[in-house]
Amino acid sequence: MVKCTNPKSLFFSFLSVLVFVSSIFVSCSNSEYEKILLMDNLYVSTDEVTYEAISAEETKNLAYLFPDQEGLVWLKTYFTVPDSLRYDDLAVYAGRPQLADKVYINGQVIGHGGNLPPQGFSAGLGFRAYDIPKVLLDLDGPNCLKMCIWVSGTGGLDTDIFIAEEERTHYRADVQNFFYTKLTMIYSFVMAVIFIFYFCLYLREKENKSHLFFALMNLSSAFFLFTFYPSEFPGMTRGYISYLTFFKIFFITGGLLTSFFVNSFILHYLGYKRINESFMTRLIVLLVPVFLCFCIPSYATITKLLPLIIGFILCQLIFAVIHLFNVMFITRNDNNGKVGTLFGCFYAVFVGLAFDLVVHIILKLNEWPVMTFIGWQGTLITFLVILTREYNKISGELKKLSRNLQLEIDEKTEFITEKSKNLQKEQDKISREMVFAAHVQQAFYPHFVNDFKGWDISVYFRPLEFVSGDMYNFYAEKNKLDGFGLFDVSGHGLAAGLVTMLTQNMIAQHFKDGNLPDANGNKKPLPQIMEEISDHVIKEKGQVENYLVGTLCRFEQKSPKVEMVNAGSPPLILYSSATKSVRELLPSDETTQFGMIGVEGFSVSFSLTEFEMSENDVVVAYTDGLNEAINPLNEQFGRQRIAEILQENGDNSTAQQIKEAIMAKFEAFREKVPLADDITLIVMKRTAL
C-alpha cells in the first residue's frame, strides 16, 4: 500500500497557499486610494417612509427589525462628490449584501444582486460593484444612495460600503469574487470530473468501495458549493425554483450527504469490518434532518436550525472518529499507515478551520475568504493524489505480473499453436469429408419433382448441419406418380445423415415391391409395407440407436383416392378446393396407431388413413423442425399457422407460391432465433386426374 506523503510537507504546502491568499487580500484591502465612505451616516427603514439612524455594527444583521425576521430593509445615506473624484468614473462597492439587494442613486436603479421578493433568490457569496452613471450625480450638492436588502432569518451588510473610482472598485470586487465564487465554481467543476473518473474506476473494480464513496464525496461537495455562486449561472436567480427549495436541496442536503460520504469513505479506506452493521444507523442520521428540513416552510426557520444540522453532520463523523481511535490506540493495526494518511490529508481542513476561527469569528474580517472550504478542496485533491498513486502502484504490479504471465503465455501459445495447426488440419479434413457426405446425401434425393403428370410440387429442404436426418422421396413409374414418403431420423448431424442414406433406397424398394399387383390384382396393404420397412431398418442398422418417424402415401392413377400411413410424423394438412376448407389428416381411430420405425423389441401398429385429392386440392407435408421452431418469446410456429396460410393461398397459388408464403411467415415469426432441427416442407397440388 502506498503511504501518504509526509504530513508535515502537506501542512507547509497548504500554509504557503494560505499565506499567498492572505497577502493578496491584505494588499487589496490596504491599498490606498480615494474613497467616499458610506457606513458612518446610515439610516434604516422597513417601510421606506420612516428612517432611523443605524450604526455600522448593527447593519451586520438586519433581520431583527422584523417580528418574523423576514422582509425588505431600506438603507439610506447622503454623500458629496469631492473635487478629487469629480472627473472620474465612479462605482459603488456594495460588499455582499445578504440575501439580495438593489441599489439606487438619486432614485434611479444602478444595479442589483440576486432577486428581491416575491421571487426572492440570493446572489450567493459574490461581492458587488455597481457603476454610477455621471448623469445621475449632482456634482455640486448632496446625492442620495439607497439600498434595498432582502433579509430572512439573517442578512445585512457584513462589509464596508463606499464609492470610489470605477476601475479600483471593480478590481477589489473581482479579486474577492475570484476566491469566493470563481475559484469555488472551478473547484466544483474539478470535483464533478473527479466524480466521473472515480465512478468509472469503481465500475471497473466494484470490490473497491472506497473509490465509489470518494466519487460520491466529490459529487456531493460540488452540490454543496453550488450555493456559493448561483448568480454565476445565467437566469439561475430569476426564481424558476424558490430560494428555499434551492437552499434545501444544495446547501442542506448537499452538506449532509457530504458528511455521510466522507464517513463512508474513511470507513472503507480503513477497511472497517462492521461497516454494514453501522450503515442503517448512519443512513437514519442522514435522512432524518433531510426530511425535517423539507418540512420547514420558511428560510428564516431553517437558518435558526443550522446549528442542529451541523450537529447531525458531526454525528456522522463520530463513527469514523471512533474507528480511527480504535485503530490508533486499541488494536494498533495500522500497518499500512492509512491513519497517518488520513490525518495528513485533513491537515488543510484543520488549518483552514483555525484560520476562519481567528479571522472571521474573532477579528470579524468578513471580506477575507473562508479558508475551511479552500482547505476542503485541498483535502480532496490530496486524497486524489494518494488514491491515484495507490492505483498506479497496483497497476504497476499488475503490469509486472502481466509481463511475467505474458512470457508464460507466449510459451504455452507456441505449444498450443503447433497443436492447433495439427488440429486444424484434422478439422479441415473432417470438414471436407462432411461436405463430401452432404453431396453424397443430396444425390439420394429426387431433383426433378415437377415431371409428374397431374401434379405441381415444390420442396423446401434445409439441413441443420452438413447432412440431414430428414429424407423425402417420390415413387413413380415413368412420369406417373404412385406415392411419396417423408421421413425424419431421430437426432441430426452425421449419425442421422448416415441412417437416411442407409434407408432411403430401402424404403423406395419396399414401396415399389408392395405396389405391384399380385396374381389377384391386389396391391400389398400400405400398413404392411410400413411394417416391413420397420423390420428391415431394424435388421440393417444393427446397434445404431437412431429410429425413424415418417409418412408414406400412395396414389391411385385417374382416381382421387389416396392411402396414407403416418408413423409418428406431424399430420399432413389437406386443402379441399371444392369446400374451400383445410383439415389435418388424422387416423380415424388413433387408438390403433402407435409405434415408430426401426425400434427393436417394440411392437408397432400402423393404421391406414384414406382421403381424396381432387383437382386443385393441395396437401402439405413437413417435418417437426418447422412446426416446433420457436420465436424470441419461446412460442412454437405450430401447425395452425401452416393451415391458415394454406387456407389463404390454396386456390389461386402454385405449389411454389404456397411454399414461399409458408417460409416467409416462418422466417418473420422466428426472427433470428437459431434453428434446432432439420426442416423439410413438401407442397403438392393436384392439377389433373
Side-chain angles (χ1 to χ4, degrees), residues 174-282:
D174 288 344
V175 170
Q176 292 167 322
N177 281 332
F178 173 77
F179 288 100
Y180 268 97
T181 58
K182 300 292 194 302
L183 196 58
T184 305
M185 186 166 61
I186 293 171
Y187 279 139
S188 297
F189 175 75
V190 171
M191 288 177 187
V193 173
I194 294 172
F195 160 74
I196 295 172
F197 175 78
Y198 269 90
F199 187 73
C200 292
L201 203 60
Y202 164 71
L203 293 179
R204 289 186 60 188
E205 302 176 2
K206 291 188 177 180
E207 68 279 359
N208 194 340
K209 293 292 182 65
S210 59
H211 286 167
L212 171 64
F213 287 107
F214 182 70
L216 295 174
M217 186 168 68
N218 278 274
L219 181 64
S220 59
S221 294
F223 262 64
F224 173 76
L225 292 177
F226 187 35
T227 54
F228 285 50
Y229 54 89
S231 58
E232 297 292 336
F233 284 79
M236 186 67 209
T237 61
R238 293 193 175 182
Y240 296 120
I241 64 171
S242 69
Y243 182 66
L244 176 62
T245 302
F246 173 84
F247 189 80
K248 289 176 180 179
I249 293 174
F250 289 94
F251 189 85
I252 302 297
T253 306
L256 288 165
L257 281 173
T258 299
S259 66
F260 177 79
F261 293 137
V262 168
N263 184 15
S264 298
F265 167 73
I266 292 174
L267 294 177
H268 278 285
Y269 184 72
L270 293 176
Y272 184 49
K273 302 300 183 184
R274 301 172 60 188
I275 194 166
N276 292 330
E277 298 177 18
S278 66
F279 179 79
M280 287 306 301
T281 303
R282 294 186 295 113

Side-chain angles (χ1 to χ4, degrees), residues 48 74 79 92 102-111 116 136 144-148:
E48 203 183 1
W74 292 85
F79 66 93
V92 175
K102 186 176 286 187
V103 177
Y104 303 77
I105 293 290
N106 294 328
Q108 297 296 316
V109 177
I110 63 170
L116 299 178
L136 297 183
C144 178
L145 180 143
K146 281 187 179 181
M147 181 180 290
C148 182

Side-chain angles (χ1 to χ4, degrees), residues 36-52:
I36 304 173
L37 302 177
L38 303 174
M39 296 297 293
D40 296 334
N41 189 29
L42 283 177
Y43 298 88
V44 65
S45 173
T46 57
D47 56 10
E48 203 183 1
V49 176
T50 305
Y51 284 86
E52 296 180 357

